[in-house]
Amino acid sequence: MAHWLIKSEPSDFSYDDLVAATREGWDGVRNYQARIFLRRMEVGDQAIFYHSMAKPPGAAGVCEIVKGAEPDPTQFDPSAKYYDPTSDPDDPRWVWVTVAPVRALRFVPLAELRSMPELAECRLLAKGNRLSVLPLTDAEFDAIVERGL
DNA sequence: GCCAACGTTGGC
DNA sequence: GCCAACGTTGGC
């Protein structure tokens, strides 16, 4: 089972919103590197739900992939924020996965994540990192979850 | 609001 | 294919 970290702006969609929704399509990813990771996700994989652009940013919960990659319908919706008129319906460019909540964490702020030696190599903390979907090693994932118990 | 870093676009 | 310009991300 692989592990991941996915970012969301809580003002747009928070971990609590996911709990309320029960499950949700992870829409709006419009980055080729992130797309690679979405396609690799398998049912049963777990991910840290990270709040970006928040005060403070940090890890909010654990979620699980309950459905693998399939075309993200919002790319074809002109009223959607992430509408992509250049995506061909016969060959959709962007995918989403469906996630469900597993458990909330005691919120682990970014400053605390930075202090954890287990995360020294984590891409999340690399300078200039902007990826909204990224893989975690099992050790990195476990360390974040333990921090938030 | 600012700025650094990165990705994308488009002229050549 | 190069690279400058521009847009976006995301922390502070």
Side-chain angles (χ1 to χ4, degrees):
Chain A
M1 189 174 78
H3 291 106
W4 312 92
L5 182 143
I6 57 179
K7 296 180 186 175
S8 180
E9 298 182 24
S11 60
D12 185 50
F13 189 77
S14 70
Y15 187 77
D16 285 344
D17 291 330
L18 178 62
V19 171
T22 308
R23 50 156 47 197
E24 188 79 6
W26 200 259
D27 65 357
V29 175
R30 300 289 183 266
N31 171 282
Y32 291 106
Q33 204 168 357
R35 186 180 72 175
I36 292 170
F37 297 137
L38 287 180
R39 284 177 168 164
R40 280 189 200 155
M41 290 181 178
E42 294 180 4
V43 172
D45 286 358
Q46 292 194 342
I48 299 294
F49 191 120
Y50 179 87
H51 284 178
S52 63
M53 306 295 286
K55 306 177 295 199
V62 179
C63 56
E64 183 169 331
I65 312 305
V66 296
K67 203 170 182 192
E70 53 190 6
D72 176 352
T74 66
Q75 70 195 299
F76 303 121
D77 177 0
S79 68
K81 184 178 178 186
Y82 296 102
Y83 173 56
D84 182 355
T86 68
S87 182
D88 176 359
D90 293 326
D91 185 21
R93 178 172 300 161
W94 306 112
V95 298
W96 73 3
V97 297
T98 304
V99 300
V102 173
R103 58 162 299 151
L105 296 175
R106 173 189 70 83
F107 188 76
V108 185
L110 177 59
E112 191 172 336
L113 295 172
R114 287 196 191 283
S115 76
M116 294 169 56
E118 300 94 330
L119 300 181
E121 305 295 318
C122 184
R123 300 181 70 156
L124 174 70
L125 305 183
K127 187 172 185 176
N129 167 66
R130 285 169 37 189
L131 261 187
S132 62
V133 178
L134 55 105
L136 296 177
T137 66
D138 294 351
E140 288 167 347
F141 177 86
D142 290 346
I144 295 170
V145 172
E146 279 177 35
R147 269 278 164 160
L149 291 182

